[in-house]
Protein backbone atom coordinates (compact mmCIF):
# COMPACT_ATOMS: atom_id res chain seq x y z
CA UNK A 1 0.00 0.00 0.00
CA UNK A 2 1.19 3.52 -0.86
CA UNK A 3 0.69 6.27 1.68
CA UNK A 4 0.82 10.01 1.09
CA UNK A 5 2.07 12.02 4.08
CA UNK A 6 1.08 15.67 4.26
CA UNK A 7 2.49 18.35 6.58
CA UNK A 8 0.78 21.72 6.02
CA UNK A 9 2.11 25.01 7.32
CA UNK A 10 0.42 28.39 6.84
CA UNK A 11 2.07 29.04 3.46
CA UNK A 12 3.92 25.79 2.86
CA UNK A 13 3.18 22.11 2.37
CA UNK A 14 5.63 19.22 2.66
CA UNK A 15 4.74 15.77 1.39
CA UNK A 16 6.14 12.30 0.90
CA UNK A 17 4.86 9.14 -0.75
CA UNK A 18 5.99 5.89 0.84
CA UNK A 19 5.46 2.30 -0.19
CA UNK A 20 4.56 0.69 3.13
CA UNK A 21 5.17 -2.90 2.07
CA UNK A 22 8.89 -2.13 2.07
CA UNK A 23 8.79 1.24 3.92
CA UNK A 24 10.55 2.91 1.00
CA UNK A 25 10.34 6.55 0.05
CA UNK A 26 9.04 6.92 -3.52
CA UNK A 27 8.88 10.70 -3.79
CA UNK A 28 8.93 13.82 -1.70
CA UNK A 29 8.32 17.48 -2.24
CA UNK A 30 7.55 20.89 -0.96
CA UNK A 31 5.18 23.67 -1.96
CA UNK A 32 6.22 27.12 -0.81
CA UNK A 33 4.56 30.54 -0.83
CA UNK A 34 0.99 29.23 -0.98
CA UNK A 35 -1.35 32.22 -1.30
CA UNK A 36 1.61 34.55 -1.94
CA UNK A 37 3.42 35.79 -5.04
CA UNK A 38 5.85 33.26 -6.47
CA UNK A 39 4.24 29.97 -5.36
CA UNK A 40 6.47 27.06 -6.26
CA UNK A 41 6.27 23.25 -6.14
CA UNK A 42 9.52 21.28 -5.88
CA UNK A 43 9.07 17.56 -6.40
CA UNK A 44 11.71 14.84 -6.22
CA UNK A 45 11.30 11.23 -7.26
CA UNK A 46 13.61 8.77 -5.51
CA UNK A 47 16.56 7.79 -7.73
CA UNK A 48 15.76 10.49 -10.30
CA UNK A 49 18.36 13.21 -10.25
CA UNK A 50 16.37 16.08 -11.77
CA UNK A 51 13.88 17.85 -9.58
CA UNK A 52 10.49 18.73 -11.02
CA UNK A 53 9.94 22.42 -10.34
CA UNK A 54 6.67 24.12 -11.10
CA UNK A 55 6.20 27.84 -10.63
CA UNK A 56 2.44 28.46 -10.82
CA UNK A 57 0.18 30.70 -8.78
CA UNK A 58 -1.37 28.64 -5.96
CA UNK A 59 -4.00 30.68 -4.16
CA UNK A 60 -4.73 28.18 -1.39
CA UNK A 61 -3.91 24.72 0.00
CA UNK A 62 -6.46 23.08 -2.28
CA UNK A 63 -4.67 24.38 -5.39
CA UNK A 64 -1.34 23.32 -3.88
CA UNK A 65 -2.59 19.77 -3.25
CA UNK A 66 -4.10 19.60 -6.76
CA UNK A 67 -0.63 20.41 -8.13
CA UNK A 68 1.00 17.80 -5.84
CA UNK A 69 -1.50 15.23 -7.15
CA UNK A 70 -0.62 16.17 -10.75
CA UNK A 71 3.10 15.71 -9.97
CA UNK A 72 2.42 12.31 -8.37
CA UNK A 73 0.74 11.01 -11.55
CA UNK A 74 3.18 12.71 -13.96
CA UNK A 75 4.47 10.17 -16.53
CA UNK A 76 8.14 11.07 -15.84
CA UNK A 77 8.30 12.29 -12.23
CA UNK A 78 5.21 10.58 -10.88
CA UNK A 79 5.05 7.47 -8.69
CA UNK A 80 1.48 6.30 -9.37
CA UNK A 81 -0.61 5.90 -12.51
CA UNK A 82 -3.68 7.28 -10.79
CA UNK A 83 -4.41 8.68 -7.33
CA UNK A 84 -6.51 5.54 -6.68
CA UNK A 85 -3.19 3.80 -5.97
CA UNK A 86 -2.74 5.98 -2.86
CA UNK A 87 -4.31 3.79 -0.17
CA UNK A 88 -4.43 6.44 2.55
CA UNK A 89 -3.26 9.93 3.48
CA UNK A 90 -1.54 10.69 6.79
CA UNK A 91 -1.71 14.26 8.06
CA UNK A 92 0.59 15.80 10.62
CA UNK A 93 -1.53 17.77 13.09
CA UNK A 94 0.20 19.82 15.76
CA UNK A 95 -2.30 19.98 18.59
CA UNK A 96 -4.92 17.51 19.76
CA UNK A 97 -5.24 18.91 23.28
CA UNK A 98 -6.21 16.09 25.64
CA UNK A 99 -8.54 14.56 23.07
CA UNK A 100 -6.21 12.09 21.40
CA UNK A 101 -3.32 10.10 22.83
CA UNK A 102 -2.84 8.23 19.56
CA UNK A 103 -3.37 8.69 15.83
CA UNK A 104 -6.96 8.47 14.53
CA UNK A 105 -8.86 7.97 11.30
CA UNK A 106 -10.30 11.33 10.33
CA UNK A 107 -14.07 11.75 10.25
CA UNK A 108 -16.38 14.70 10.86
CA UNK A 109 -16.21 14.18 14.65
CA UNK A 110 -12.40 14.30 14.59
CA UNK A 111 -12.48 17.48 12.50
CA UNK A 112 -14.88 19.06 15.03
CA UNK A 113 -12.60 18.03 17.92
CA UNK A 114 -9.56 19.51 16.16
CA UNK A 115 -11.40 22.73 15.45
CA UNK A 116 -11.90 23.04 19.21
CA UNK A 117 -8.11 22.81 19.61
CA UNK A 118 -7.49 25.76 17.29
CA UNK A 119 -7.36 28.20 20.19
CA UNK A 120 -4.54 26.11 21.71
CA UNK A 121 -2.46 26.24 18.50
CA UNK A 122 -3.72 29.24 16.52
CA UNK A 123 -0.71 29.27 14.20
CA UNK A 124 -0.47 25.56 13.51
CA UNK A 125 -3.83 23.80 13.62
CA UNK A 126 -5.64 26.03 11.06
CA UNK A 127 -3.24 25.19 8.19
CA UNK A 128 -3.27 21.50 9.25
CA UNK A 129 -7.08 21.59 9.02
CA UNK A 130 -6.98 23.36 5.64
CA UNK A 131 -4.77 20.57 4.30
CA UNK A 132 -7.14 17.91 5.60
CA UNK A 133 -10.20 19.67 4.13
CA UNK A 134 -8.49 20.07 0.74
CA UNK A 135 -7.45 16.40 0.62
CA UNK A 136 -10.90 15.20 1.65
CA UNK A 137 -12.39 17.27 -1.16
CA UNK A 138 -9.92 16.14 -3.81
CA UNK A 139 -9.68 12.49 -2.66
CA UNK A 140 -13.14 11.84 -1.24
CA UNK A 141 -12.78 8.04 -1.21
CA UNK A 142 -9.30 7.85 0.31
CA UNK A 143 -9.11 7.27 4.08
CA UNK A 144 -7.26 9.97 6.02
CA UNK A 145 -5.42 9.69 9.32
CA UNK A 146 -4.35 12.45 11.73
CA UNK A 147 -1.05 12.01 13.60
CA UNK A 148 -0.52 14.47 16.42
CA UNK A 149 2.60 16.17 17.77
CA UNK A 150 1.06 16.18 21.23
CA UNK A 151 -0.14 12.55 21.35
CA UNK A 152 3.04 10.84 22.57
CA UNK A 153 3.22 13.20 25.56
CA UNK A 154 -0.27 12.34 26.80
CA UNK A 155 1.22 9.67 29.07
CA UNK A 156 2.85 12.32 31.30
CA UNK A 157 1.73 12.10 34.92
CA UNK A 158 -0.21 15.10 36.32
CA UNK A 159 2.76 16.35 38.35
CA UNK A 160 4.60 16.84 35.05
CA UNK A 161 1.81 18.59 33.19
CA UNK A 162 -0.01 20.63 35.83
CA UNK A 163 1.32 24.16 36.23
CA UNK A 164 1.34 25.55 39.78
CA UNK A 165 -1.32 28.15 39.00
CA UNK A 166 -4.98 28.13 40.12
CA UNK A 167 -6.33 24.70 39.15
CA UNK A 168 -9.38 26.26 37.50
CA UNK A 169 -7.19 27.48 34.64
CA UNK A 170 -6.59 23.84 33.81
CA UNK A 171 -10.22 22.78 34.08
CA UNK A 172 -11.70 25.91 32.46
CA UNK A 173 -9.15 26.72 29.76
CA UNK A 174 -7.05 23.58 29.36
CA UNK A 175 -3.87 25.35 30.50
CA UNK A 176 -1.31 22.60 31.12
CA UNK A 177 1.90 21.27 29.63
CA UNK A 178 1.15 19.47 26.35
CA UNK A 179 4.56 19.07 24.72
CA UNK A 180 5.37 18.89 21.01
CA UNK A 181 7.65 17.02 18.55
CA UNK A 182 6.03 13.86 19.99
CA UNK A 183 6.31 11.92 16.74
CA UNK A 184 10.06 12.56 16.65
CA UNK A 185 10.67 11.72 20.33
CA UNK A 186 8.72 8.48 19.91
CA UNK A 187 10.56 7.49 16.73
CA UNK A 188 14.09 8.07 18.05
CA UNK A 189 13.33 6.41 21.41
CA UNK A 190 12.13 3.28 19.61
CA UNK A 191 15.17 3.33 17.30
CA UNK A 192 17.44 3.74 20.33
CA UNK A 193 16.01 0.60 21.93
CA UNK A 194 16.45 -1.23 18.64
CA UNK A 195 20.06 -0.05 18.23
CA UNK A 196 20.90 -1.06 21.80
CA UNK A 197 19.16 -4.42 21.39
CA UNK A 198 17.21 -3.81 24.60
CA UNK A 199 13.44 -3.87 25.08
CA UNK A 200 12.21 -0.27 25.41
CA UNK A 201 10.29 -1.39 28.53
CA UNK A 202 13.66 -1.81 30.23
CA UNK A 203 15.09 1.58 29.31
CA UNK A 204 15.19 5.13 30.61
CA UNK A 205 15.85 7.39 27.63
CA UNK A 206 16.34 11.14 27.28
CA UNK A 207 15.65 12.30 23.73
CA UNK A 208 17.01 15.68 22.59
CA UNK A 209 15.23 16.97 19.49
CA UNK A 210 17.43 19.95 18.65
CA UNK A 211 16.31 21.75 15.50
CA UNK A 212 15.09 25.26 14.92
CA UNK A 213 12.49 24.37 17.49
CA UNK A 214 13.98 22.19 20.22
CA UNK A 215 12.72 20.00 23.04
CA UNK A 216 13.94 17.31 25.40
CA UNK A 217 11.80 14.40 26.63
CA UNK A 218 12.12 11.87 29.44
CA UNK A 219 10.97 8.44 28.29
CA UNK A 220 10.66 5.69 30.86
CA UNK A 221 9.65 2.18 29.77
CA UNK A 222 8.66 3.57 26.35
CA UNK A 223 6.30 6.18 27.80
CA UNK A 224 6.90 9.91 27.90
CA UNK A 225 6.90 11.10 31.50
CA UNK A 226 8.04 14.69 30.92
CA UNK A 227 8.97 17.07 28.15
CA UNK A 228 10.44 20.56 27.99
CA UNK A 229 7.88 22.29 25.77
CA UNK A 230 4.75 23.35 27.54
CA UNK A 231 1.34 24.85 26.89
CA UNK A 232 2.92 26.16 23.69
CA UNK A 233 6.16 25.37 21.82
CA UNK A 234 7.72 28.51 23.33
CA UNK A 235 8.68 26.81 26.60
CA UNK A 236 11.75 24.81 27.57
CA UNK A 237 15.08 25.11 25.79
CA UNK A 238 16.56 28.23 24.26
CA UNK A 239 15.94 27.74 20.51
CA UNK A 240 16.75 29.32 17.14
CA UNK A 241 14.48 32.32 17.68
CA UNK A 242 12.47 31.29 20.79
CA UNK A 243 13.41 32.23 24.33
CA UNK A 244 12.45 28.97 26.02
CA UNK A 245 11.83 29.23 29.77
CA UNK A 246 11.97 32.73 31.22
CA UNK A 247 10.60 34.35 34.36
CA UNK A 248 7.00 35.18 33.34
CA UNK A 249 7.24 38.56 35.11
CA UNK A 250 9.61 39.66 32.33
CA UNK A 251 6.65 39.91 29.95
CA UNK A 252 4.85 42.76 31.72
CA UNK A 253 8.19 44.38 32.59
CA UNK A 254 9.21 44.64 28.90
CA UNK A 255 5.66 45.66 27.95
CA UNK A 256 5.80 48.58 30.44
CA UNK A 257 9.33 49.64 29.50
CA UNK A 258 8.82 49.50 25.72
CA UNK A 259 5.16 50.61 25.72
CA UNK A 260 4.00 47.49 23.88
CA UNK A 261 1.34 44.89 24.72
CA UNK A 262 1.70 41.27 25.85
CA UNK A 263 1.17 39.90 22.33
CA UNK A 264 3.98 42.07 21.02
CA UNK A 265 6.30 40.86 23.79
CA UNK A 266 5.33 37.27 22.97
CA UNK A 267 6.18 37.93 19.35
CA UNK A 268 9.67 39.01 20.48
CA UNK A 269 9.98 35.87 22.63
CA UNK A 270 8.93 33.68 19.70
CA UNK A 271 10.71 35.30 16.78
CA UNK A 272 13.54 37.52 18.01
CA UNK A 273 14.96 35.61 20.95
CA UNK A 274 16.95 32.42 21.42
CA UNK A 275 20.18 32.13 19.43
CA UNK A 276 19.19 35.09 17.27
CA UNK A 277 18.39 37.30 20.24
CA UNK A 278 21.49 36.55 22.29
CA UNK A 279 23.97 36.53 19.38
CA UNK A 280 22.36 39.36 17.41
CA UNK A 281 23.58 37.44 14.36
CA UNK A 282 21.43 34.50 13.34
CA UNK A 283 19.13 31.71 14.48
CA UNK A 284 21.11 29.21 12.44
CA UNK A 285 23.74 27.23 14.34
CA UNK A 286 26.01 27.19 11.27
CA UNK A 287 26.14 31.01 11.27
CA UNK A 288 26.73 30.99 15.02
CA UNK A 289 29.66 28.59 14.59
CA UNK A 290 31.14 30.78 11.88
CA UNK A 291 30.82 33.89 14.07
CA UNK A 292 32.43 32.06 17.00
CA UNK A 293 35.28 31.17 14.64
CA UNK A 294 35.66 34.89 13.93
CA UNK A 295 35.91 35.57 17.66
CA UNK A 296 32.37 36.89 18.25
CA UNK A 297 31.74 36.81 22.01
CA UNK A 298 27.96 37.04 21.89
CA UNK A 299 27.74 34.16 19.43
CA UNK A 300 29.84 32.10 21.85
CA UNK A 301 27.54 33.16 24.70
CA UNK A 302 24.43 32.17 22.70
CA UNK A 303 25.82 28.68 22.16
CA UNK A 304 26.70 28.35 25.86
CA UNK A 305 23.17 29.46 26.83
CA UNK A 306 21.72 26.85 24.48
CA UNK A 307 24.00 24.07 25.73
CA UNK A 308 23.25 25.07 29.33
CA UNK A 309 19.52 24.76 28.71
CA UNK A 310 19.90 21.28 27.16
CA UNK A 311 22.20 20.13 30.00
CA UNK A 312 19.74 21.57 32.53
CA UNK A 313 16.90 19.41 31.21
CA UNK A 314 19.12 16.33 30.90
CA UNK A 315 20.00 16.73 34.57
CA UNK A 316 16.39 17.29 35.56
CA UNK A 317 15.21 14.21 33.71
CA UNK A 318 17.94 12.02 35.16
CA UNK A 319 16.62 13.07 38.57
CA UNK A 320 13.01 12.47 37.55
CA UNK A 321 13.69 8.99 36.18
CA UNK A 322 16.23 8.15 38.88
CA UNK A 323 18.82 7.44 36.21
CA UNK A 324 19.23 7.23 32.45
CA UNK A 325 20.40 4.49 30.09
CA UNK A 326 20.57 6.40 26.82
CA UNK A 327 20.67 9.96 25.58
CA UNK A 328 19.63 10.54 21.97
CA UNK A 329 20.45 13.50 19.75
CA UNK A 330 18.25 14.23 16.75
CA UNK A 331 16.98 16.97 14.35
CA UNK A 332 19.06 19.56 12.44
CA UNK A 333 21.43 20.57 15.25
CA UNK A 334 21.39 17.25 17.12
CA UNK A 335 22.19 15.30 13.96
CA UNK A 336 24.78 17.61 12.43
CA UNK A 337 26.42 19.88 14.97
CA UNK A 338 29.44 18.00 16.30
CA UNK A 339 30.72 20.88 18.41
CA UNK A 340 27.36 21.59 20.06
CA UNK A 341 26.93 17.92 21.04
CA UNK A 342 30.42 18.07 22.50
CA UNK A 343 29.68 21.20 24.55
CA UNK A 344 26.39 19.75 25.85
CA UNK A 345 27.99 16.49 26.99
CA UNK A 346 31.14 18.09 28.36
CA UNK A 347 31.61 17.58 32.09
CA UNK A 348 28.77 15.06 32.53
CA UNK A 349 31.33 12.31 33.20
CA UNK A 350 30.43 11.99 36.87
CA UNK A 351 26.89 11.11 35.78
CA UNK A 352 28.32 8.31 33.66
CA UNK A 353 27.82 10.25 30.42
CA UNK A 354 31.02 10.20 28.34
CA UNK A 355 31.04 11.34 24.73
CA UNK A 356 33.67 9.76 22.47
CA UNK A 357 35.24 12.72 20.68
CA UNK A 358 36.25 10.58 17.69
CA UNK A 359 32.99 8.68 17.32
CA UNK A 360 31.18 12.02 17.69
CA UNK A 361 32.67 13.19 14.39
CA UNK A 362 29.65 11.99 12.46
CA UNK A 363 26.69 13.70 10.83
CA UNK A 364 23.22 12.64 9.80
CA UNK A 365 23.42 8.89 10.33
CA UNK A 366 22.68 6.45 13.13
CA UNK A 367 25.66 6.00 15.40
CA UNK A 368 26.64 5.25 18.98
CA UNK A 369 28.86 8.19 19.95
CA UNK A 370 29.60 7.42 23.62
CA UNK A 371 32.87 5.99 24.87
CA UNK A 372 33.05 2.27 25.58
CA UNK A 373 33.39 3.04 29.32
CA UNK A 374 30.37 5.38 29.34
CA UNK A 375 27.62 4.02 31.60
CA UNK A 376 25.06 5.88 29.52
CA UNK A 377 24.84 5.25 25.77
CA UNK A 378 24.86 8.41 23.69
CA UNK A 379 23.22 7.95 20.30
CA UNK A 380 22.84 9.99 17.15
CA UNK A 381 19.59 9.07 15.40
CA UNK A 382 18.23 11.03 12.42
CA UNK A 383 14.55 11.60 13.02
CA UNK A 384 11.90 10.47 10.56
CA UNK A 385 8.55 11.91 11.49
CA UNK A 386 7.11 11.14 8.05
CA UNK A 387 7.82 7.44 8.49
CA UNK A 388 5.96 7.40 11.84
CA UNK A 389 3.02 9.21 10.23
CA UNK A 390 3.03 6.75 7.32
CA UNK A 391 3.26 3.75 9.69
CA UNK A 392 0.35 4.92 11.83
CA UNK A 393 -1.67 5.70 8.70
CA UNK A 394 -0.96 2.27 7.25
CA UNK A 395 -1.72 0.45 10.52
CA UNK A 396 -5.06 2.21 10.95
CA UNK A 397 -6.24 1.81 7.36
CA UNK A 398 -4.73 -1.39 5.93
P1 LIG B 1 13.05 22.60 12.02
O1 LIG B 1 12.50 21.32 11.42
O2 LIG B 1 12.71 22.82 13.44
O3 LIG B 1 12.88 23.82 11.16
P2 LIG B 1 15.63 21.31 11.65
O4 LIG B 1 15.51 20.12 12.51
O5 LIG B 1 15.64 21.14 10.17
O6 LIG B 1 14.63 22.44 12.07
O7 LIG B 1 16.98 22.07 12.09
C1 LIG B 1 17.38 23.23 11.41
C2 LIG B 1 18.61 23.78 12.09
O8 LIG B 1 19.64 22.78 12.13
C3 LIG B 1 19.23 24.93 11.32
O9 LIG B 1 18.66 26.15 11.69
C4 LIG B 1 20.66 24.85 11.75
O10 LIG B 1 20.81 25.67 12.88
C5 LIG B 1 20.89 23.42 12.15
N1 LIG B 1 21.83 22.73 11.27
C6 LIG B 1 21.57 22.12 10.10
N2 LIG B 1 22.71 21.61 9.57
C7 LIG B 1 23.71 21.91 10.42
C8 LIG B 1 25.12 21.68 10.44
N3 LIG B 1 25.74 21.01 9.48
N4 LIG B 1 25.83 22.16 11.50
C9 LIG B 1 25.21 22.83 12.48
N5 LIG B 1 23.88 23.07 12.51
C10 LIG B 1 23.15 22.63 11.50
Amino acid sequence: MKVLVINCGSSSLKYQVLDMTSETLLAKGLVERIGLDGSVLKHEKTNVEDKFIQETAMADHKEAIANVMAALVDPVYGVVKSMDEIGAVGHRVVHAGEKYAASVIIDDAVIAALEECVELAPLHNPPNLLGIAACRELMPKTPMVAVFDTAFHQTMPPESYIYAIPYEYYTKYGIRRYGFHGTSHKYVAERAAYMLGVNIEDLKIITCHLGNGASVSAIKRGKCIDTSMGFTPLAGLAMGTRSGDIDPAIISFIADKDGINADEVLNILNKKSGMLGVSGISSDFRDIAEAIGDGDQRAALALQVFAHSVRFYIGAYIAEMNGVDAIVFTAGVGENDINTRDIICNELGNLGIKLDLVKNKVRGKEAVISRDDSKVAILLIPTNEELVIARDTYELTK
Side-chain angles (χ1 to χ4, degrees), residues 54-199:
Q54 185 188 6
E55 292 174 15
T56 336
M58 292 180 238
D60 54 30
H61 289 74
K62 191 172 155 196
E63 285 185 21
I65 288 168
N67 281 302
V68 169
M69 289 166 65
L72 294 178
V73 298
D74 182 85
V76 179
Y77 294 95
V79 287
V80 286
K81 286 209 180 64
S82 101
M83 285 304 286
D84 293 342
E85 284 179 48
I86 301 287
V89 183
H91 293 268
R92 176 195 180 205
V93 177
V94 169
H95 217 310
E98 291 185 325
K99 293 200 164 71
Y100 300 107
S103 305
V104 284
I105 295 185
I106 298 172
D107 57 17
D108 291 342
V110 170
I111 301 275
L114 295 179
E115 274 165 358
E116 279 178 33
C117 295
V118 162
E119 67 170 1
L120 296 174
L123 298 179
H124 295 102
N125 271 27
N128 298 160
L129 284 165
L130 281 176
I132 293 172
C135 283
R136 288 180 103 200
E137 221 179 307
L138 294 167
M139 292 171 251
K141 289 193 221 116
T142 313
M144 312 259 155
V145 168
V147 180
F148 309 106
D149 267 26
T150 48
F152 181 60
H153 302 301
Q154 280 293 303
T155 49
M156 286 189 288
E159 62 269 31
S160 296
Y161 70 72
I162 289 292
Y163 289 118
I165 58 177
Y167 193 74
E168 296 71 37
Y169 288 126
Y170 168 58
T171 50
K172 271 200 326 209
Y173 304 139
I175 298 177
R176 51 159 284 178
R177 181 187 308 280
Y178 289 102
F180 301 89
H181 296 139
T183 319
S184 176
H185 288 289
K186 175 175 191 262
Y187 173 77
V188 297
E190 285 170 1
R191 282 303 297 170
Y194 175 83
M195 283 169 73
L196 295 171
V198 179
N199 190 326

Side-chain angles (χ1 to χ4, degrees), residues 14 181 209-214 242 283-287 289 330-338 340 363 383 385:
K14 289 189 213 153
H181 296 139
H209 177 110
L210 311 180
N212 243 328
R242 286 175 237 166
S283 62
D284 192 303
F285 283 69
R286 288 162 291 197
D287 300 335
T330 193
V333 178
E335 292 168 25
N336 296 300
D337 196 334
I338 294 167
T340 300
R363 287 198 170 97
T383 193
E385 289 157 286

